[in-house]
mmCIF file of all heavy atoms in Angstrom:
data_model
loop_
_atom_site.group_PDB
_atom_site.id
_atom_site.type_symbol
_atom_site.label_atom_id
_atom_site.label_comp_id
_atom_site.label_asym_id
_atom_site.label_seq_id
_atom_site.Cartn_x
_atom_site.Cartn_y
_atom_site.Cartn_z
ATOM 1 N N LYS A 1 154.602 128.195 70.719
ATOM 2 C CA LYS A 1 155.253 126.898 70.574
ATOM 3 C C LYS A 1 156.615 127.047 70.001
ATOM 4 O O LYS A 1 156.949 128.074 69.362
ATOM 5 C CB LYS A 1 154.426 126.020 69.644
ATOM 6 C CG LYS A 1 152.991 125.759 70.043
ATOM 7 C CD LYS A 1 152.932 124.781 71.162
ATOM 8 C CE LYS A 1 151.466 124.456 71.408
ATOM 9 N NZ LYS A 1 151.230 123.956 72.755
ATOM 10 N N LYS A 2 157.450 126.034 70.262
ATOM 11 C CA LYS A 2 158.746 125.949 69.688
ATOM 12 C C LYS A 2 158.800 124.754 68.792
ATOM 13 O O LYS A 2 158.450 123.646 69.239
ATOM 14 C CB LYS A 2 159.860 125.865 70.744
ATOM 15 C CG LYS A 2 161.256 125.701 70.176
ATOM 16 C CD LYS A 2 162.252 125.596 71.313
ATOM 17 C CE LYS A 2 163.679 125.531 70.780
ATOM 18 N NZ LYS A 2 164.673 125.430 71.890
ATOM 19 N N ILE A 3 159.193 124.919 67.490
ATOM 20 C CA ILE A 3 159.369 123.823 66.624
ATOM 21 C C ILE A 3 160.839 123.605 66.423
ATOM 22 O O ILE A 3 161.529 124.542 66.073
ATOM 23 C CB ILE A 3 158.671 124.067 65.245
ATOM 24 C CG1 ILE A 3 157.190 124.207 65.410
ATOM 25 C CG2 ILE A 3 159.055 122.968 64.245
ATOM 26 C CD1 ILE A 3 156.452 124.538 64.121
ATOM 27 N N GLU A 4 161.257 122.373 66.666
ATOM 28 C CA GLU A 4 162.656 121.988 66.400
ATOM 29 C C GLU A 4 162.554 120.897 65.281
ATOM 30 O O GLU A 4 161.872 119.921 65.462
ATOM 31 C CB GLU A 4 163.296 121.401 67.611
ATOM 32 C CG GLU A 4 163.569 122.430 68.711
ATOM 33 C CD GLU A 4 164.185 121.771 69.939
ATOM 34 O OE1 GLU A 4 165.403 121.670 69.953
ATOM 35 O OE2 GLU A 4 163.418 121.398 70.839
ATOM 36 N N ALA A 5 163.224 121.125 64.195
ATOM 37 C CA ALA A 5 163.222 120.176 63.132
ATOM 38 C C ALA A 5 164.628 119.777 62.823
ATOM 39 O O ALA A 5 165.511 120.621 62.624
ATOM 40 C CB ALA A 5 162.559 120.766 61.858
ATOM 41 N N ILE A 6 164.900 118.450 62.739
ATOM 42 C CA ILE A 6 166.191 117.930 62.355
ATOM 43 C C ILE A 6 166.022 117.424 60.928
ATOM 44 O O ILE A 6 165.193 116.526 60.682
ATOM 45 C CB ILE A 6 166.597 116.763 63.284
ATOM 46 C CG1 ILE A 6 166.477 117.109 64.730
ATOM 47 C CG2 ILE A 6 168.011 116.288 62.939
ATOM 48 C CD1 ILE A 6 167.355 118.233 65.228
ATOM 49 N N ILE A 7 166.769 118.000 59.998
ATOM 50 C CA ILE A 7 166.652 117.669 58.624
ATOM 51 C C ILE A 7 168.003 117.381 57.967
ATOM 52 O O ILE A 7 169.085 117.655 58.508
ATOM 53 C CB ILE A 7 165.881 118.758 57.853
ATOM 54 C CG1 ILE A 7 166.710 120.059 57.846
ATOM 55 C CG2 ILE A 7 164.515 119.021 58.390
ATOM 56 C CD1 ILE A 7 166.188 121.122 56.888
ATOM 57 N N LYS A 8 167.931 116.927 56.699
ATOM 58 C CA LYS A 8 169.177 116.722 55.909
ATOM 59 C C LYS A 8 169.663 118.095 55.509
ATOM 60 O O LYS A 8 168.883 118.939 55.105
ATOM 61 C CB LYS A 8 168.869 115.868 54.741
ATOM 62 C CG LYS A 8 168.565 114.409 55.133
ATOM 63 C CD LYS A 8 168.281 113.582 53.875
ATOM 64 C CE LYS A 8 168.081 112.133 54.274
ATOM 65 N NZ LYS A 8 167.912 111.223 53.147
ATOM 66 N N PRO A 9 170.975 118.296 55.545
ATOM 67 C CA PRO A 9 171.505 119.650 55.274
ATOM 68 C C PRO A 9 171.146 120.196 53.872
ATOM 69 O O PRO A 9 170.917 121.381 53.708
ATOM 70 C CB PRO A 9 173.041 119.429 55.359
ATOM 71 C CG PRO A 9 173.213 118.242 56.238
ATOM 72 C CD PRO A 9 171.999 117.392 56.024
ATOM 73 N N PHE A 10 171.097 119.366 52.855
ATOM 74 C CA PHE A 10 170.822 119.860 51.509
ATOM 75 C C PHE A 10 169.390 120.294 51.348
ATOM 76 O O PHE A 10 169.005 120.892 50.291
ATOM 77 C CB PHE A 10 171.210 118.885 50.436
ATOM 78 C CG PHE A 10 170.360 117.572 50.421
ATOM 79 C CD1 PHE A 10 169.207 117.484 49.658
ATOM 80 C CD2 PHE A 10 170.811 116.479 51.155
ATOM 81 C CE1 PHE A 10 168.462 116.344 49.667
ATOM 82 C CE2 PHE A 10 170.029 115.296 51.153
ATOM 83 C CZ PHE A 10 168.882 115.267 50.416
ATOM 84 N N LYS A 11 168.526 120.082 52.352
ATOM 85 C CA LYS A 11 167.163 120.489 52.264
ATOM 86 C C LYS A 11 166.919 121.843 53.001
ATOM 87 O O LYS A 11 165.771 122.350 52.962
ATOM 88 C CB LYS A 11 166.187 119.430 52.941
ATOM 89 C CG LYS A 11 166.042 118.193 52.076
ATOM 90 C CD LYS A 11 165.275 118.568 50.823
ATOM 91 C CE LYS A 11 164.699 117.377 50.102
ATOM 92 N NZ LYS A 11 163.811 117.855 49.010
ATOM 93 N N LEU A 12 167.941 122.431 53.545
ATOM 94 C CA LEU A 12 167.749 123.621 54.323
ATOM 95 C C LEU A 12 167.189 124.804 53.504
ATOM 96 O O LEU A 12 166.230 125.498 53.965
ATOM 97 C CB LEU A 12 169.121 124.066 54.961
ATOM 98 C CG LEU A 12 169.079 125.379 55.721
ATOM 99 C CD1 LEU A 12 168.081 125.315 56.865
ATOM 100 C CD2 LEU A 12 170.479 125.731 56.248
ATOM 101 N N ASP A 13 167.691 125.070 52.328
ATOM 102 C CA ASP A 13 167.171 126.195 51.536
ATOM 103 C C ASP A 13 165.705 125.987 51.165
ATOM 104 O O ASP A 13 164.928 126.952 51.226
ATOM 105 C CB ASP A 13 167.998 126.351 50.290
ATOM 106 C CG ASP A 13 169.375 127.008 50.566
ATOM 107 O OD1 ASP A 13 169.474 127.691 51.592
ATOM 108 O OD2 ASP A 13 170.260 126.805 49.797
ATOM 109 N N GLU A 14 165.326 124.762 50.882
ATOM 110 C CA GLU A 14 163.931 124.513 50.503
ATOM 111 C C GLU A 14 162.998 124.750 51.691
ATOM 112 O O GLU A 14 161.919 125.306 51.585
ATOM 113 C CB GLU A 14 163.787 123.050 50.014
ATOM 114 C CG GLU A 14 164.395 122.844 48.665
ATOM 115 C CD GLU A 14 164.270 121.368 48.202
ATOM 116 O OE1 GLU A 14 163.175 120.786 48.293
ATOM 117 O OE2 GLU A 14 165.323 120.822 47.802
ATOM 118 N N VAL A 15 163.461 124.276 52.844
ATOM 119 C CA VAL A 15 162.663 124.466 54.096
ATOM 120 C C VAL A 15 162.606 125.979 54.435
ATOM 121 O O VAL A 15 161.496 126.484 54.756
ATOM 122 C CB VAL A 15 163.264 123.677 55.265
ATOM 123 C CG1 VAL A 15 162.568 124.061 56.590
ATOM 124 C CG2 VAL A 15 163.116 122.141 55.002
ATOM 125 N N LYS A 16 163.695 126.664 54.360
ATOM 126 C CA LYS A 16 163.726 128.125 54.653
ATOM 127 C C LYS A 16 162.778 128.841 53.705
ATOM 128 O O LYS A 16 161.971 129.683 54.178
ATOM 129 C CB LYS A 16 165.150 128.656 54.499
ATOM 130 C CG LYS A 16 165.273 130.130 54.800
ATOM 131 C CD LYS A 16 166.692 130.643 54.549
ATOM 132 C CE LYS A 16 166.960 130.534 53.086
ATOM 133 N NZ LYS A 16 167.559 131.592 52.387
ATOM 134 N N ASP A 17 162.767 128.520 52.455
ATOM 135 C CA ASP A 17 161.940 129.172 51.475
ATOM 136 C C ASP A 17 160.435 128.823 51.717
ATOM 137 O O ASP A 17 159.553 129.701 51.677
ATOM 138 C CB ASP A 17 162.249 128.710 50.012
ATOM 139 C CG ASP A 17 163.580 129.311 49.593
ATOM 140 O OD1 ASP A 17 164.129 130.247 50.231
ATOM 141 O OD2 ASP A 17 164.148 128.784 48.585
ATOM 142 N N ALA A 18 160.140 127.572 52.103
ATOM 143 C CA ALA A 18 158.794 127.194 52.410
ATOM 144 C C ALA A 18 158.239 127.946 53.649
ATOM 145 O O ALA A 18 157.099 128.374 53.664
ATOM 146 C CB ALA A 18 158.709 125.654 52.632
ATOM 147 N N LEU A 19 159.089 128.123 54.639
ATOM 148 C CA LEU A 19 158.667 128.836 55.860
ATOM 149 C C LEU A 19 158.463 130.304 55.514
ATOM 150 O O LEU A 19 157.515 130.940 56.040
ATOM 151 C CB LEU A 19 159.717 128.666 56.962
ATOM 152 C CG LEU A 19 159.781 127.254 57.568
ATOM 153 C CD1 LEU A 19 161.002 127.167 58.475
ATOM 154 C CD2 LEU A 19 158.500 126.927 58.284
ATOM 155 N N HIS A 20 159.338 130.883 54.704
ATOM 156 C CA HIS A 20 159.191 132.269 54.305
ATOM 157 C C HIS A 20 157.885 132.461 53.509
ATOM 158 O O HIS A 20 157.210 133.507 53.686
ATOM 159 C CB HIS A 20 160.358 132.690 53.401
ATOM 160 C CG HIS A 20 160.386 134.156 53.067
ATOM 161 N ND1 HIS A 20 160.595 135.142 54.000
ATOM 162 C CD2 HIS A 20 160.157 134.788 51.896
ATOM 163 C CE1 HIS A 20 160.521 136.345 53.430
ATOM 164 N NE2 HIS A 20 160.248 136.130 52.128
ATOM 165 N N GLU A 21 157.504 131.510 52.685
ATOM 166 C CA GLU A 21 156.231 131.636 51.899
ATOM 167 C C GLU A 21 155.005 131.711 52.796
ATOM 168 O O GLU A 21 154.012 132.304 52.406
ATOM 169 C CB GLU A 21 156.121 130.470 50.932
ATOM 170 C CG GLU A 21 156.991 130.625 49.687
ATOM 171 C CD GLU A 21 156.891 129.400 48.763
ATOM 172 O OE1 GLU A 21 155.820 128.729 48.806
ATOM 173 O OE2 GLU A 21 157.847 129.166 48.034
ATOM 174 N N ILE A 22 155.015 131.033 53.964
ATOM 175 C CA ILE A 22 153.871 131.062 54.817
ATOM 176 C C ILE A 22 153.938 132.208 55.861
ATOM 177 O O ILE A 22 153.096 132.320 56.726
ATOM 178 C CB ILE A 22 153.634 129.721 55.540
ATOM 179 C CG1 ILE A 22 154.769 129.399 56.507
ATOM 180 C CG2 ILE A 22 153.355 128.652 54.598
ATOM 181 C CD1 ILE A 22 154.475 128.285 57.472
ATOM 182 N N GLY A 23 154.961 133.078 55.661
ATOM 183 C CA GLY A 23 155.003 134.280 56.505
ATOM 184 C C GLY A 23 155.876 134.231 57.732
ATOM 185 O O GLY A 23 155.881 135.153 58.513
ATOM 186 N N LEU A 24 156.614 133.160 57.918
ATOM 187 C CA LEU A 24 157.558 133.069 59.086
ATOM 188 C C LEU A 24 158.858 133.736 58.667
ATOM 189 O O LEU A 24 159.432 133.431 57.675
ATOM 190 C CB LEU A 24 157.720 131.645 59.524
ATOM 191 C CG LEU A 24 156.485 130.937 60.074
ATOM 192 C CD1 LEU A 24 156.811 129.550 60.384
ATOM 193 C CD2 LEU A 24 156.003 131.669 61.299
ATOM 194 N N GLN A 25 159.353 134.587 59.563
ATOM 195 C CA GLN A 25 160.568 135.323 59.242
ATOM 196 C C GLN A 25 161.797 134.838 59.975
ATOM 197 O O GLN A 25 162.860 134.718 59.407
ATOM 198 C CB GLN A 25 160.374 136.779 59.536
ATOM 199 C CG GLN A 25 159.280 137.382 58.700
ATOM 200 C CD GLN A 25 158.985 138.806 59.118
ATOM 201 O OE1 GLN A 25 159.472 139.318 60.061
ATOM 202 N NE2 GLN A 25 158.127 139.468 58.351
ATOM 203 N N GLY A 26 161.749 134.561 61.266
ATOM 204 C CA GLY A 26 162.885 134.270 62.025
ATOM 205 C C GLY A 26 163.050 132.821 62.338
ATOM 206 O O GLY A 26 162.156 132.124 62.825
ATOM 207 N N ILE A 27 164.256 132.241 61.969
ATOM 208 C CA ILE A 27 164.589 130.906 62.324
ATOM 209 C C ILE A 27 166.001 130.871 62.815
ATOM 210 O O ILE A 27 166.830 131.760 62.453
ATOM 211 C CB ILE A 27 164.386 129.912 61.155
ATOM 212 C CG1 ILE A 27 165.398 130.182 60.034
ATOM 213 C CG2 ILE A 27 163.026 129.892 60.637
ATOM 214 C CD1 ILE A 27 165.416 129.099 58.928
ATOM 215 N N THR A 28 166.325 129.880 63.581
ATOM 216 C CA THR A 28 167.705 129.650 64.035
ATOM 217 C C THR A 28 168.144 128.322 63.465
ATOM 218 O O THR A 28 167.414 127.355 63.538
ATOM 219 C CB THR A 28 167.794 129.644 65.578
ATOM 220 O OG1 THR A 28 167.329 130.862 66.134
ATOM 221 C CG2 THR A 28 169.207 129.349 66.063
ATOM 222 N N VAL A 29 169.325 128.274 62.902
ATOM 223 C CA VAL A 29 169.838 127.083 62.285
ATOM 224 C C VAL A 29 171.153 126.718 62.919
ATOM 225 O O VAL A 29 172.001 127.516 63.112
ATOM 226 C CB VAL A 29 170.055 127.287 60.754
ATOM 227 C CG1 VAL A 29 170.671 126.040 60.110
ATOM 228 C CG2 VAL A 29 168.719 127.655 60.106
ATOM 229 N N THR A 30 171.270 125.428 63.271
ATOM 230 C CA THR A 30 172.491 124.881 63.896
ATOM 231 C C THR A 30 172.894 123.644 63.139
ATOM 232 O O THR A 30 172.103 122.789 62.833
ATOM 233 C CB THR A 30 172.211 124.504 65.395
ATOM 234 O OG1 THR A 30 171.605 125.550 66.045
ATOM 235 C CG2 THR A 30 173.496 124.116 66.075
ATOM 236 N N GLU A 31 174.220 123.521 62.876
ATOM 237 C CA GLU A 31 174.744 122.304 62.302
ATOM 238 C C GLU A 31 174.791 121.265 63.410
ATOM 239 O O GLU A 31 175.227 121.581 64.506
ATOM 240 C CB GLU A 31 176.141 122.527 61.720
ATOM 241 C CG GLU A 31 176.116 123.384 60.478
ATOM 242 C CD GLU A 31 177.524 123.536 59.823
ATOM 243 O OE1 GLU A 31 178.395 122.759 60.196
ATOM 244 O OE2 GLU A 31 177.670 124.461 59.089
ATOM 245 N N ALA A 32 174.382 120.065 63.078
ATOM 246 C CA ALA A 32 174.327 118.977 64.088
ATOM 247 C C ALA A 32 174.799 117.721 63.441
ATOM 248 O O ALA A 32 174.925 117.578 62.205
ATOM 249 C CB ALA A 32 172.875 118.856 64.597
ATOM 250 N N LYS A 33 175.059 116.733 64.310
ATOM 251 C CA LYS A 33 175.401 115.374 63.890
ATOM 252 C C LYS A 33 174.585 114.398 64.689
ATOM 253 O O LYS A 33 174.346 114.638 65.858
ATOM 254 C CB LYS A 33 176.878 115.067 64.046
ATOM 255 C CG LYS A 33 177.790 115.843 63.115
ATOM 256 C CD LYS A 33 179.200 115.451 63.257
ATOM 257 C CE LYS A 33 180.044 116.197 62.251
ATOM 258 N NZ LYS A 33 181.400 115.751 62.215
ATOM 259 N N GLY A 34 174.145 113.324 64.087
ATOM 260 C CA GLY A 34 173.348 112.348 64.792
ATOM 261 C C GLY A 34 172.970 111.165 63.929
ATOM 262 O O GLY A 34 173.351 111.126 62.784
ATOM 263 N N PHE A 35 172.197 110.313 64.536
ATOM 264 C CA PHE A 35 171.687 109.170 63.792
ATOM 265 C C PHE A 35 170.425 108.682 64.451
ATOM 266 O O PHE A 35 170.190 108.877 65.632
ATOM 267 C CB PHE A 35 172.721 108.032 63.676
ATOM 268 C CG PHE A 35 173.062 107.383 65.005
ATOM 269 C CD1 PHE A 35 172.306 106.338 65.488
ATOM 270 C CD2 PHE A 35 174.167 107.814 65.665
ATOM 271 C CE1 PHE A 35 172.646 105.747 66.682
ATOM 272 C CE2 PHE A 35 174.500 107.217 66.877
ATOM 273 C CZ PHE A 35 173.757 106.184 67.399
ATOM 274 N N GLY A 36 169.588 108.078 63.652
ATOM 275 C CA GLY A 36 168.360 107.448 64.159
ATOM 276 C C GLY A 36 168.407 105.985 63.893
ATOM 277 O O GLY A 36 169.390 105.333 64.160
ATOM 278 N N ARG A 37 167.379 105.526 63.257
ATOM 279 C CA ARG A 37 167.294 104.035 62.995
ATOM 280 C C ARG A 37 168.350 103.585 61.979
ATOM 281 O O ARG A 37 168.757 102.421 61.983
ATOM 282 C CB ARG A 37 165.894 103.728 62.457
ATOM 283 C CG ARG A 37 164.854 103.883 63.437
ATOM 284 C CD ARG A 37 163.549 103.376 62.908
ATOM 285 N NE ARG A 37 162.517 103.625 63.943
ATOM 286 C CZ ARG A 37 161.219 103.676 63.640
ATOM 287 N NH1 ARG A 37 160.795 103.605 62.416
ATOM 288 N NH2 ARG A 37 160.349 103.836 64.631
ATOM 289 N N GLN A 38 168.842 104.466 61.146
ATOM 290 C CA GLN A 38 169.787 104.059 60.110
ATOM 291 C C GLN A 38 171.127 103.721 60.713
ATOM 292 O O GLN A 38 171.970 103.050 60.056
ATOM 293 C CB GLN A 38 169.890 105.095 58.979
ATOM 294 C CG GLN A 38 170.847 106.268 59.283
ATOM 295 C CD GLN A 38 170.074 107.459 59.800
ATOM 296 O OE1 GLN A 38 169.036 107.302 60.466
ATOM 297 N NE2 GLN A 38 170.640 108.622 59.596
ATOM 298 N N ARG A 39 171.452 104.158 61.895
ATOM 299 C CA ARG A 39 172.682 103.828 62.629
ATOM 300 C C ARG A 39 173.930 104.195 61.847
ATOM 301 O O ARG A 39 174.983 103.472 61.958
ATOM 302 C CB ARG A 39 172.755 102.352 62.997
ATOM 303 C CG ARG A 39 171.651 101.951 63.918
ATOM 304 C CD ARG A 39 172.098 102.148 65.332
ATOM 305 N NE ARG A 39 171.121 101.531 66.276
ATOM 306 C CZ ARG A 39 170.554 102.220 67.186
ATOM 307 N NH1 ARG A 39 170.743 103.460 67.313
ATOM 308 N NH2 ARG A 39 169.684 101.594 67.945
ATOM 309 N N GLY A 40 173.894 105.199 61.002
ATOM 310 C CA GLY A 40 175.115 105.591 60.228
ATOM 311 C C GLY A 40 175.315 104.672 59.068
ATOM 312 O O GLY A 40 174.442 103.959 58.628
ATOM 313 N N HIS A 41 176.549 104.670 58.515
ATOM 314 C CA HIS A 41 176.832 103.880 57.347
ATOM 315 C C HIS A 41 178.360 103.641 57.301
ATOM 316 O O HIS A 41 179.124 104.276 58.022
ATOM 317 C CB HIS A 41 176.345 104.522 56.071
ATOM 318 C CG HIS A 41 176.997 105.876 55.820
ATOM 319 N ND1 HIS A 41 176.541 107.026 56.344
ATOM 320 C CD2 HIS A 41 178.044 106.198 55.002
ATOM 321 C CE1 HIS A 41 177.316 107.999 55.946
ATOM 322 N NE2 HIS A 41 178.219 107.528 55.097
ATOM 323 N N THR A 42 178.827 102.729 56.419
ATOM 324 C CA THR A 42 180.198 102.509 56.264
ATOM 325 C C THR A 42 180.734 103.205 55.022
ATOM 326 O O THR A 42 179.998 103.374 54.038
ATOM 327 C CB THR A 42 180.520 101.014 56.151
ATOM 328 O OG1 THR A 42 179.819 100.485 55.004
ATOM 329 C CG2 THR A 42 180.103 100.226 57.416
ATOM 330 N N GLU A 43 181.953 103.667 55.060
ATOM 331 C CA GLU A 43 182.592 104.322 53.961
ATOM 332 C C GLU A 43 183.970 103.750 53.758
ATOM 333 O O GLU A 43 184.542 103.156 54.673
ATOM 334 C CB GLU A 43 182.731 105.827 54.173
ATOM 335 C CG GLU A 43 181.378 106.592 54.111
ATOM 336 C CD GLU A 43 181.564 108.097 54.116
ATOM 337 O OE1 GLU A 43 182.732 108.581 54.083
ATOM 338 O OE2 GLU A 43 180.523 108.768 54.204
ATOM 339 N N LEU A 44 184.491 103.931 52.549
ATOM 340 C CA LEU A 44 185.826 103.447 52.194
ATOM 341 C C LEU A 44 186.737 104.669 52.064
ATOM 342 O O LEU A 44 186.360 105.611 51.267
ATOM 343 C CB LEU A 44 185.718 102.671 50.884
ATOM 344 C CG LEU A 44 186.718 101.563 50.699
ATOM 345 C CD1 LEU A 44 186.600 100.530 51.842
ATOM 346 C CD2 LEU A 44 186.518 100.866 49.362
ATOM 347 N N TYR A 45 187.819 104.703 52.756
ATOM 348 C CA TYR A 45 188.768 105.809 52.652
ATOM 349 C C TYR A 45 190.197 105.238 52.526
ATOM 350 O O TYR A 45 190.670 104.585 53.407
ATOM 351 C CB TYR A 45 188.692 106.739 53.848
ATOM 352 C CG TYR A 45 189.632 107.867 53.799
ATOM 353 C CD1 TYR A 45 189.464 108.963 52.929
ATOM 354 C CD2 TYR A 45 190.760 107.904 54.629
ATOM 355 C CE1 TYR A 45 190.341 110.007 52.890
ATOM 356 C CE2 TYR A 45 191.668 108.979 54.613
ATOM 357 C CZ TYR A 45 191.419 110.047 53.716
ATOM 358 O OH TYR A 45 192.303 111.075 53.685
ATOM 359 N N ARG A 46 190.824 105.486 51.367
ATOM 360 C CA ARG A 46 192.200 104.986 51.096
ATOM 361 C C ARG A 46 192.315 103.465 51.342
ATOM 362 O O ARG A 46 193.246 103.003 51.997
ATOM 363 C CB ARG A 46 193.222 105.729 51.896
ATOM 364 C CG ARG A 46 193.299 107.219 51.505
ATOM 365 C CD ARG A 46 194.434 107.885 52.138
ATOM 366 N NE ARG A 46 194.532 109.255 51.647
ATOM 367 C CZ ARG A 46 195.483 110.094 52.007
ATOM 368 N NH1 ARG A 46 196.448 109.726 52.811
ATOM 369 N NH2 ARG A 46 195.478 111.342 51.517
#
């Protein structure tokens, strides 16, 4: 099987450690951008 997981970037180390603990060694990580139901957000810049 292939598992693809889309997660928040700051959770990567925790996920990597959790996978290592159950004996999985190889993962591929890609930076991505996207949105789901939250449809993004507004920010204030200058």
Side-chain angles (χ1 to χ4, degrees):
K1 300 286 186 202
K2 178 180 184 178
I3 295 177
E4 292 177 85
I6 311 297
I7 63 170
K8 292 181 176 184
F10 67 89
K11 285 294 197 171
L12 177 59
D13 285 336
E14 291 176 49
V15 171
K16 181 184 66 133
D17 292 344
L19 291 170
H20 185 69
E21 283 180 24
I22 64 166
L24 293 177
Q25 297 174 352
I27 66 171
T28 301
V29 177
T30 309
E31 290 183 18
K33 291 185 178 187
F35 64 87
R37 291 184 181 159
Q38 81 266 28
R39 298 272 190 238
H41 62 277
T42 59
E43 287 189 7
L44 212 57
Y45 180 73
R46 295 190 176 182

